């Protein structure tokens, strides 16, 4: 399995109907179509950063993340909803309606405190302190520190927030603001 990771090959989730259990079960294949982890999960997401979200009894059951050997490495408790995959070593989760982030050990590294949040990219994440307003957006770093104050309007569509070259973009009134990934304002000067 380590050879797969060393070669940069990805495992992909697949589902098949199990006649005996009369349900769909999911497992994982490699890029050549070989079954690497046999189908036994009712829910399975593709791997990201070496971990995949799975559930043996559907989304309502306890679920967690497995490694590429099929070992459960993070068992999540009920009440935690995963909203994505791992990006920059962190995964977006929701607890009691607030967004936060767990690390690859399952530890809550950024406590749930945001009304809306997005995956990390370039080491930062777009977050909002008010889901009902367009004027409370900013960026946090991987420690949870606010690096761009939560006072801007977010730009649409979502791909517009990240420029692709390491700059972040938000709106304030009719003006566009650019920041680097440390939170330093680049434009306007």
């Amino acid at each position: 399995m380590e050879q797969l990771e060393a070669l940069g090959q990805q495992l992909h989730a697949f589902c098949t109907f199990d006649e005996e259990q009369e349900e769909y079960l999911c497992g994982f294949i490699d890029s050549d179509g070989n079954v690497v982890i046999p189908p036994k999960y009712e829910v399975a997401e593709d791997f990201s950063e070496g971990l995949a979200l799975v559930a043996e009894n559907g989304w309502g059951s306890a679920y967690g993340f497995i490694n590429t050997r099929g070992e459960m490495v993070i068992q999540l408790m009920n009440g935690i909803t995963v909203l994505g995959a791992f990006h920059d070593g962190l995964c977006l989760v929701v607890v009691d309606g607030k967004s936060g982030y767990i690390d690859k050990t399952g530890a809550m590294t950024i406590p749930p405190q945001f009304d809306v949040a997005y995956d990390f990219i370039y080491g930062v994440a777009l977050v909002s302190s008010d889901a009902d307003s367009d004027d409370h957006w900013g960026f946090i770093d991987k420690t949870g520190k606010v690096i761009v104050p939560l006072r801007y309007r977010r730009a649409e569509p979502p791909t517009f927030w990240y420029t692709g070259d390491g700059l972040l973009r938000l709106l304030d009134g009719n003006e566009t603001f650019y920041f680097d990934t440390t939170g330093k304002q680049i434009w306007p000067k």
Side-chain angles (χ1 to χ4, degrees), residues 53-92:
L53 182 67
V54 296
E56 290 188 10
N57 298 309
W59 284 117
S61 67
Y63 55 98
F65 288 90
I66 60 170
N67 62 21
T68 56
R69 292 181 293 281
E71 302 164 335
M72 184 68 69
V73 293
I74 301 173
Q75 182 71 48
L76 296 173
M77 300 174 60
N78 288 334
I80 296 178
T81 302
V82 175
L83 291 185
F86 279 91
H87 298 278
D88 285 355
L90 298 173
C91 181
L92 176 61

Side-chain angles (χ1 to χ4, degrees), residues 1 5 24 34 39 44-45 69 72 75 79 103 126 135 138 158:
M1 214 53 64
E5 293 169 5
Y24 281 94
N34 300 310
E45 299 287 330
R69 292 181 293 281
M72 184 68 69
Q75 182 71 48
D103 66 14
L126 180 68
D135 297 328

Side-chain angles (χ1 to χ4, degrees), residues 6-168:
L7 294 173
Q9 290 185 337
Q10 183 75 4
L11 297 183
H12 302 280
F14 76 95
C15 295
T16 185
F17 189 75
D18 184 306
E19 303 261 343
E20 186 177 304
Q21 293 188 31
E22 296 183 353
E23 64 183 340
Y24 281 94
L25 295 176
C26 303
F28 295 88
I29 59 171
D30 64 18
S31 57
D32 294 323
N34 300 310
V35 174
V36 178
I37 300 172
K40 65 179 182 178
Y41 304 104
E42 284 189 23
V43 175
E45 299 287 330
D46 279 340
F47 277 84
S48 175
E49 297 187 7
L51 298 174
L53 182 67
V54 296
E56 290 188 10
N57 298 309
W59 284 117
S61 67
Y63 55 98
F65 288 90
I66 60 170
N67 62 21
T68 56
R69 292 181 293 281
E71 302 164 335
M72 184 68 69
V73 293
I74 301 173
Q75 182 71 48
L76 296 173
M77 300 174 60
N78 288 334
I80 296 178
T81 302
V82 175
L83 291 185
F86 279 91
H87 298 278
D88 285 355
L90 298 173
C91 181
L92 176 61
V93 297
V94 174
V95 179
D96 296 328
K98 295 289 186 179
S99 298
Y101 297 87
I102 60 170
D103 66 14
K104 289 186 176 183
T105 69
M108 188 72 66
T109 58
I110 300 175
Q113 58 191 296
F114 305 105
D115 283 358
V116 183
Y118 290 89
D119 290 329
F120 273 85
I121 186 170
Y122 302 129
V124 298
L126 180 68
V127 296
S128 175
S129 61
D130 186 351
D132 298 324
S133 171
D134 283 338
D135 297 328
H136 292 91
W137 292 89
F139 288 93
I140 60 171
D141 66 14
K142 289 173 54 173
T143 68
K145 177 184 172 195
V146 174
I147 61 166
V148 174
L150 281 60
R151 68 172 186 85
Y152 294 91
R153 285 189 309 138
R154 65 182 178 157
E156 296 292 344
T159 54
F160 196 69
W161 306 321
Y162 308 104
T163 63
D165 60 0
L167 292 181
L168 312 169

